[in-house]
Amino acid sequence: MDFAVNILALGIPFSVALLLASLGEMFNQRAGVFNLGCEGIMAMGAFLGMLVPYAAGQGAPVSGAFNLLGLLLAMGAGALLGLFFGLAVITFRAPQGIAGIGLQMFGVGTAGTLFRHFVGGTQSIPGIDRLPIPVLSEIPLLGPVFFSHNPLVYLTFLLVPAAWYILFRTPWGLRVRASGTNPRAADSMGIRVNLVRYQALAVGGALAGLAGAYLSLCQVKMFSDEIIAGRGFIAVALVYFGHWRPLKITGGALLFSLAQALQLAIQGQGIDFPYEFAVMLPYALVIVVLAFSRESLLLGPTALGKPFNREMRT
Amino acid sequence: MTKQFKILYRMVIILLAGAAAMLLGAFILWAIGADVTKTYSVIILEPLKNRIQIGEVIIRAIPLTVIALGISVAYRSGIINIGAEGQMAMGILAATAVALALPGLPKAVLLPLALTAGALGGAAWGFIPGLLKAKLHVSELLSTVMLNYIAAQFYTFCLRGPMLDPAEITMGSGTPQSMRLTRAVWLDRLVPGTRIHTGVYIALFLAFVVWLLLWRTSWGYRMRAAGAGERAARYGGIGVAGCLVAAMMISGAFAGLAGAVEVAGVHRRAIEGITGGYGFSGIVVALFGGLHPAGIVPASFFFGLLIVGADMTQRMAGVPANMVLVLQGVIILVIVATRMVLANPYLADRVWRRYRALFRHNMEE
């Protein structure tokens, strides 16, 4: 029982970075833009998120305002990078897959360059503390699993229904879905498809930036070049796995992070299993899941990855 | 478009991309308070100042050329290979395993055998995403990236476990690296005092082979047709699925071979971090070289220069070597964006009209 509680209590916070990034990516893809640069945006978010509290405290605990400022800076930079990507793939109609790799290299490279210049070596930061909810966290079993986390964990899980509501119950959500499914029809209904796509990229970028900042401020409590470790790419894959729906995406994110927590727990038990193979497992799982979600492509935004140009008949 | 115009047009795009990357890089350098002109002069000129440094540039250009050739074959066939990093690692493992398993063989047998093993290792790793794409429509952009992470873990597992140099265990240092390869698999040094090795010939020969394959055989025509338009190709009776798998395997074989050449020519044992971003830089080189062997060879020299130069800026100008990654990212973005703009004259026309209207409006006010 304790073993299961431990895995759940560990796995739920692990899922947050994936969840934030893939919810953002979901908005991008629903609007018709495939953003493979998510990894790069997350790296920038991770660096900028830790920079403000680090500079303010030089390793000593700082007031919450600085942490908040770091999170906001990460979100702002993420949104800007999303718009920058939009300039390439929406206005200049660059092929999205390869442009995404460009954004990834740019983001990871810039974050690493700035990190070496402003921080130097590996520096641990106090980060954001856990915030057990007073009464609820006392409940046995449920308390440690659900109510003894970081403030951002609660916030993220509140964001899931919010994302669902925005996507399926608001006019903007409708415009996003229309732009990704049938941009020509959306255009004839007076929706400015490319503007909507830019907006979705800004939202997605902000969420990816926040996801990165969560990693550096709450989960790892420092920055390194390998901090994202492919989570940006896994987030993109989770959007496919979750059929572009917030709830299914959440399920996917939880599945992967529980697998990761299980792997760590097994390591902790001292079972002799090569560490490298344990690390491989989540990546292999992504491939297997993608291979078996072939029919999901039919459910997705049909104009995904196609630039929209109202002057061209396609 | 005439052929001359096409070539000119490509060169304009590529120069534009280079200039834009330099500009954006300058902005970042300025933001961290570095001396922009000094940094750039160190990156571009310093590695050309003596023989040893030029040699270093060339030994980096060798794997870049080979990997970029493979990536351009895939790209021309309509599949993007981001997995060169992992395929290279698998190639290194396969070549090292063969070299360590058969130490007694003469050079004329063992060296080709090891290089072939490297190519096969990479091809096998490229086969997986190719098959997944052709049969199950799994995006190769995602599967190749995942396979990179898996290969990297497998690589360190082998270096720390089954392939670990026994001497490292007895000495107690435990550095994860393989045993030194026998002389029979070494690629000879070409120029005394530098590390330039005979891999140069292999790279140039492969460039010629790729040109021959893609532009002088019907098989290459089919590959390029599959890449240019899937539907039209299928209508023309071309098996697109087969082309995808073949393209990915060739691409993987090139990356694997690049790994084998690197291990036999430079390090002479498998060590950690050999792949060091060559797989990703290979994408930039392929695009920068216009996806053509004649462009890829000089492009890889240029990027070899950037990589060596970046290491020097770290020492000489205090600018982190990660700057290279920034420049490469921007170059990719600008190349893919400008190609579309220049291919579409309507866009330029529209921008001009909008600008003119704005201008008139201001005049009237």
Short mmCIF file of all heavy atoms in Angstrom, two decimals, chain B residues 144-181:
data_model
loop_
_atom_site.label_atom_id
_atom_site.label_comp_id
_atom_site.label_asym_id
_atom_site.label_seq_id
_atom_site.Cartn_x
_atom_site.Cartn_y
_atom_site.Cartn_z
N THR B 144 11.88 9.17 -34.65
CA THR B 144 13.34 9.25 -34.70
C THR B 144 13.90 9.92 -33.46
O THR B 144 14.95 9.52 -32.95
CB THR B 144 13.83 10.00 -35.95
OG1 THR B 144 13.09 11.20 -36.09
CG2 THR B 144 13.70 9.17 -37.19
N VAL B 145 13.20 10.93 -32.96
CA VAL B 145 13.68 11.61 -31.75
C VAL B 145 13.69 10.64 -30.57
O VAL B 145 14.67 10.55 -29.82
CB VAL B 145 12.80 12.83 -31.42
CG1 VAL B 145 13.14 13.36 -30.05
CG2 VAL B 145 13.00 13.91 -32.45
N MET B 146 12.61 9.88 -30.41
CA MET B 146 12.54 8.91 -29.32
C MET B 146 13.67 7.88 -29.46
O MET B 146 14.31 7.49 -28.49
CB MET B 146 11.19 8.18 -29.31
CG MET B 146 9.99 9.07 -29.10
SD MET B 146 10.09 9.97 -27.56
CE MET B 146 9.24 11.46 -27.99
N LEU B 147 13.89 7.43 -30.72
CA LEU B 147 14.95 6.44 -30.95
C LEU B 147 16.33 7.01 -30.62
O LEU B 147 17.23 6.27 -30.22
CB LEU B 147 14.89 5.93 -32.38
CG LEU B 147 13.72 4.97 -32.66
CD1 LEU B 147 13.53 4.75 -34.14
CD2 LEU B 147 13.94 3.64 -31.96
N ASN B 148 16.49 8.33 -30.79
CA ASN B 148 17.76 8.96 -30.39
C ASN B 148 18.01 8.76 -28.90
O ASN B 148 19.12 8.42 -28.48
CB ASN B 148 17.73 10.46 -30.66
CG ASN B 148 18.02 10.79 -32.10
OD1 ASN B 148 18.49 9.95 -32.84
ND2 ASN B 148 17.73 12.01 -32.49
N TYR B 149 16.98 9.02 -28.10
CA TYR B 149 17.15 8.89 -26.65
C TYR B 149 17.43 7.44 -26.27
O TYR B 149 18.26 7.15 -25.42
CB TYR B 149 15.92 9.42 -25.91
CG TYR B 149 15.82 10.92 -25.96
CD1 TYR B 149 14.91 11.56 -26.78
CD2 TYR B 149 16.65 11.71 -25.17
CE1 TYR B 149 14.83 12.94 -26.85
CE2 TYR B 149 16.58 13.08 -25.22
CZ TYR B 149 15.67 13.69 -26.05
OH TYR B 149 15.61 15.05 -26.11
N ILE B 150 16.70 6.52 -26.95
CA ILE B 150 16.90 5.11 -26.64
C ILE B 150 18.32 4.69 -27.02
O ILE B 150 19.02 4.03 -26.24
CB ILE B 150 15.85 4.25 -27.39
CG1 ILE B 150 14.46 4.59 -26.85
CG2 ILE B 150 16.15 2.77 -27.23
CD1 ILE B 150 13.34 3.90 -27.57
N ALA B 151 18.77 5.11 -28.21
CA ALA B 151 20.12 4.74 -28.66
C ALA B 151 21.17 5.30 -27.71
O ALA B 151 22.14 4.63 -27.38
CB ALA B 151 20.37 5.24 -30.07
N ALA B 152 20.96 6.54 -27.25
CA ALA B 152 21.95 7.15 -26.35
C ALA B 152 22.07 6.34 -25.07
O ALA B 152 23.18 6.10 -24.57
CB ALA B 152 21.55 8.59 -26.04
N GLN B 153 20.93 5.88 -24.54
CA GLN B 153 20.97 5.07 -23.33
C GLN B 153 21.64 3.73 -23.59
O GLN B 153 22.43 3.25 -22.78
CB GLN B 153 19.55 4.84 -22.78
CG GLN B 153 18.88 6.08 -22.21
CD GLN B 153 19.66 6.70 -21.09
OE1 GLN B 153 20.30 6.02 -20.30
NE2 GLN B 153 19.64 8.02 -21.00
N PHE B 154 21.30 3.11 -24.72
CA PHE B 154 21.88 1.82 -25.07
C PHE B 154 23.40 1.96 -25.24
O PHE B 154 24.17 1.09 -24.80
CB PHE B 154 21.24 1.29 -26.35
CG PHE B 154 21.67 -0.10 -26.71
CD1 PHE B 154 21.34 -1.16 -25.88
CD2 PHE B 154 22.39 -0.35 -27.86
CE1 PHE B 154 21.73 -2.45 -26.20
CE2 PHE B 154 22.79 -1.63 -28.18
CZ PHE B 154 22.46 -2.69 -27.35
N TYR B 155 23.81 3.07 -25.84
CA TYR B 155 25.23 3.33 -26.05
C TYR B 155 25.97 3.39 -24.72
O TYR B 155 26.98 2.71 -24.53
CB TYR B 155 25.36 4.65 -26.81
CG TYR B 155 26.77 5.00 -27.24
CD1 TYR B 155 27.37 4.32 -28.28
CD2 TYR B 155 27.48 6.02 -26.61
CE1 TYR B 155 28.66 4.63 -28.68
CE2 TYR B 155 28.76 6.34 -27.01
CZ TYR B 155 29.34 5.64 -28.05
OH TYR B 155 30.61 5.96 -28.45
N THR B 156 25.45 4.16 -23.78
CA THR B 156 26.15 4.25 -22.48
C THR B 156 26.09 2.92 -21.75
O THR B 156 27.03 2.54 -21.06
CB THR B 156 25.58 5.35 -21.56
OG1 THR B 156 24.17 5.36 -21.68
CG2 THR B 156 26.13 6.70 -21.89
N PHE B 157 24.96 2.20 -21.93
CA PHE B 157 24.88 0.88 -21.29
C PHE B 157 26.00 -0.02 -21.79
O PHE B 157 26.68 -0.67 -20.99
CB PHE B 157 23.52 0.24 -21.57
CG PHE B 157 23.47 -1.23 -21.25
CD1 PHE B 157 23.42 -1.65 -19.92
CD2 PHE B 157 23.51 -2.19 -22.25
CE1 PHE B 157 23.40 -3.00 -19.62
CE2 PHE B 157 23.50 -3.53 -21.94
CZ PHE B 157 23.45 -3.94 -20.62
N CYS B 158 26.22 -0.03 -23.12
CA CYS B 158 27.27 -0.90 -23.68
C CYS B 158 28.65 -0.47 -23.19
O CYS B 158 29.48 -1.31 -22.86
CB CYS B 158 27.23 -0.86 -25.20
SG CYS B 158 25.85 -1.78 -25.87
N LEU B 159 28.89 0.84 -23.15
CA LEU B 159 30.22 1.31 -22.75
C LEU B 159 30.49 1.04 -21.27
O LEU B 159 31.62 0.87 -20.86
CB LEU B 159 30.37 2.80 -23.03
CG LEU B 159 30.42 3.22 -24.49
CD1 LEU B 159 30.98 4.62 -24.62
CD2 LEU B 159 31.24 2.27 -25.32
N ARG B 160 29.42 1.03 -20.49
CA ARG B 160 29.63 0.79 -19.06
C ARG B 160 29.58 -0.69 -18.72
O ARG B 160 30.10 -1.11 -17.70
CB ARG B 160 28.54 1.50 -18.24
CG ARG B 160 28.79 2.98 -18.17
CD ARG B 160 27.70 3.68 -17.41
NE ARG B 160 27.86 5.12 -17.57
CZ ARG B 160 26.94 6.00 -17.24
NH1 ARG B 160 25.79 5.60 -16.75
NH2 ARG B 160 27.16 7.28 -17.40
N GLY B 161 28.90 -1.47 -19.58
CA GLY B 161 28.74 -2.88 -19.29
C GLY B 161 29.56 -3.76 -20.21
O GLY B 161 30.78 -3.86 -20.06
N PRO B 162 28.91 -4.39 -21.19
CA PRO B 162 29.57 -5.42 -21.99
C PRO B 162 30.83 -4.95 -22.72
O PRO B 162 31.73 -5.76 -22.95
CB PRO B 162 28.50 -5.85 -22.99
CG PRO B 162 27.35 -4.95 -22.81
CD PRO B 162 27.49 -4.25 -21.52
N MET B 163 30.90 -3.66 -23.10
CA MET B 163 32.05 -3.24 -23.89
C MET B 163 33.12 -2.53 -23.08
O MET B 163 34.13 -2.10 -23.62
CB MET B 163 31.60 -2.30 -25.01
CG MET B 163 31.14 -3.01 -26.25
SD MET B 163 30.93 -1.83 -27.56
CE MET B 163 30.03 -2.83 -28.71
N LEU B 164 32.88 -2.38 -21.79
CA LEU B 164 33.82 -1.63 -20.96
C LEU B 164 35.22 -2.22 -21.03
O LEU B 164 35.40 -3.44 -20.94
CB LEU B 164 33.31 -1.62 -19.51
CG LEU B 164 34.16 -0.86 -18.49
CD1 LEU B 164 34.22 0.61 -18.85
CD2 LEU B 164 33.61 -1.03 -17.10
N ASP B 165 36.18 -1.37 -21.23
CA ASP B 165 37.59 -1.79 -21.30
C ASP B 165 38.00 -2.47 -20.00
O ASP B 165 37.91 -1.86 -18.93
CB ASP B 165 38.43 -0.52 -21.53
CG ASP B 165 39.88 -0.85 -21.75
OD1 ASP B 165 40.23 -2.04 -21.67
OD2 ASP B 165 40.65 0.08 -22.00
N PRO B 166 38.43 -3.74 -20.05
CA PRO B 166 38.81 -4.43 -18.82
C PRO B 166 39.89 -3.67 -18.05
O PRO B 166 39.92 -3.71 -16.82
CB PRO B 166 39.35 -5.77 -19.32
CG PRO B 166 38.78 -5.95 -20.68
CD PRO B 166 38.56 -4.58 -21.24
N ALA B 167 40.77 -2.97 -18.79
CA ALA B 167 41.83 -2.21 -18.12
C ALA B 167 41.24 -1.14 -17.20
O ALA B 167 41.81 -0.83 -16.16
CB ALA B 167 42.73 -1.57 -19.17
N GLU B 168 40.09 -0.59 -17.61
CA GLU B 168 39.48 0.45 -16.79
C GLU B 168 39.02 -0.11 -15.45
O GLU B 168 39.03 0.59 -14.45
CB GLU B 168 38.29 1.07 -17.52
CG GLU B 168 38.65 1.80 -18.80
CD GLU B 168 39.46 3.06 -18.54
OE1 GLU B 168 39.37 3.60 -17.43
OE2 GLU B 168 40.18 3.48 -19.47
N ILE B 169 38.59 -1.37 -15.48
CA ILE B 169 38.12 -1.96 -14.23
C ILE B 169 39.30 -2.25 -13.31
O ILE B 169 39.27 -1.91 -12.13
CB ILE B 169 37.34 -3.26 -14.51
CG1 ILE B 169 36.22 -2.99 -15.51
CG2 ILE B 169 36.77 -3.84 -13.22
CD1 ILE B 169 35.54 -4.23 -16.03
N THR B 170 40.37 -2.84 -13.88
CA THR B 170 41.52 -3.18 -13.03
C THR B 170 42.20 -1.91 -12.52
O THR B 170 42.65 -1.86 -11.39
CB THR B 170 42.54 -4.04 -13.79
OG1 THR B 170 42.81 -3.41 -15.04
CG2 THR B 170 42.00 -5.42 -14.05
N MET B 171 42.25 -0.88 -13.37
CA MET B 171 42.87 0.37 -12.94
C MET B 171 41.97 1.09 -11.94
O MET B 171 42.43 1.97 -11.22
CB MET B 171 43.11 1.30 -14.13
CG MET B 171 44.00 0.74 -15.21
SD MET B 171 45.74 0.89 -14.81
CE MET B 171 46.00 2.61 -15.19
N GLY B 172 40.68 0.75 -11.99
CA GLY B 172 39.78 1.35 -11.03
C GLY B 172 39.22 2.69 -11.42
O GLY B 172 38.46 3.29 -10.67
N SER B 173 39.60 3.21 -12.60
CA SER B 173 39.08 4.52 -12.97
C SER B 173 37.62 4.42 -13.39
O SER B 173 36.82 5.31 -13.13
CB SER B 173 39.91 5.12 -14.11
OG SER B 173 39.63 4.45 -15.31
N GLY B 174 37.27 3.29 -14.05
CA GLY B 174 35.87 3.08 -14.41
C GLY B 174 35.34 4.05 -15.43
O GLY B 174 34.13 4.22 -15.54
N THR B 175 36.22 4.70 -16.21
CA THR B 175 35.74 5.59 -17.25
C THR B 175 34.99 4.77 -18.29
O THR B 175 35.54 3.78 -18.78
CB THR B 175 36.93 6.28 -17.97
OG1 THR B 175 37.83 6.73 -16.98
CG2 THR B 175 36.46 7.45 -18.80
N PRO B 176 33.77 5.12 -18.60
CA PRO B 176 33.03 4.31 -19.55
C PRO B 176 33.57 4.46 -20.98
O PRO B 176 33.28 5.44 -21.65
CB PRO B 176 31.60 4.84 -19.44
CG PRO B 176 31.70 6.15 -18.78
CD PRO B 176 33.00 6.24 -18.09
N GLN B 177 34.40 3.54 -21.41
CA GLN B 177 34.90 3.54 -22.78
C GLN B 177 35.31 2.13 -23.14
O GLN B 177 35.57 1.30 -22.27
CB GLN B 177 36.07 4.50 -22.94
CG GLN B 177 37.23 4.22 -22.01
CD GLN B 177 38.35 5.22 -22.20
OE1 GLN B 177 38.17 6.28 -22.76
NE2 GLN B 177 39.53 4.85 -21.74
N SER B 178 35.36 1.87 -24.45
CA SER B 178 35.70 0.53 -24.89
C SER B 178 37.21 0.37 -24.91
O SER B 178 37.95 1.33 -24.71
CB SER B 178 35.14 0.28 -26.29
OG SER B 178 35.98 0.91 -27.24
N MET B 179 37.63 -0.88 -25.19
CA MET B 179 39.06 -1.12 -25.35
C MET B 179 39.54 -0.39 -26.59
O MET B 179 38.77 -0.10 -27.50
CB MET B 179 39.28 -2.62 -25.54
CG MET B 179 40.20 -3.24 -24.56
SD MET B 179 39.99 -5.02 -24.61
CE MET B 179 40.70 -5.42 -26.19
N ARG B 180 40.83 -0.09 -26.61
CA ARG B 180 41.40 0.53 -27.81
C ARG B 180 41.31 -0.46 -28.97
O ARG B 180 41.62 -1.64 -28.81
CB ARG B 180 42.86 0.88 -27.53
CG ARG B 180 43.42 1.95 -28.40
CD ARG B 180 44.76 2.36 -27.78
NE ARG B 180 45.58 3.12 -28.71
CZ ARG B 180 45.41 4.42 -28.94
NH1 ARG B 180 44.47 5.09 -28.32
NH2 ARG B 180 46.21 5.05 -29.78
N LEU B 181 40.89 0.03 -30.14
CA LEU B 181 40.74 -0.86 -31.29
C LEU B 181 42.11 -1.26 -31.81
O LEU B 181 43.08 -0.52 -31.67
CB LEU B 181 39.94 -0.16 -32.39
CG LEU B 181 38.57 0.37 -32.01
CD1 LEU B 181 37.89 0.96 -33.23
CD2 LEU B 181 37.70 -0.72 -31.42
#
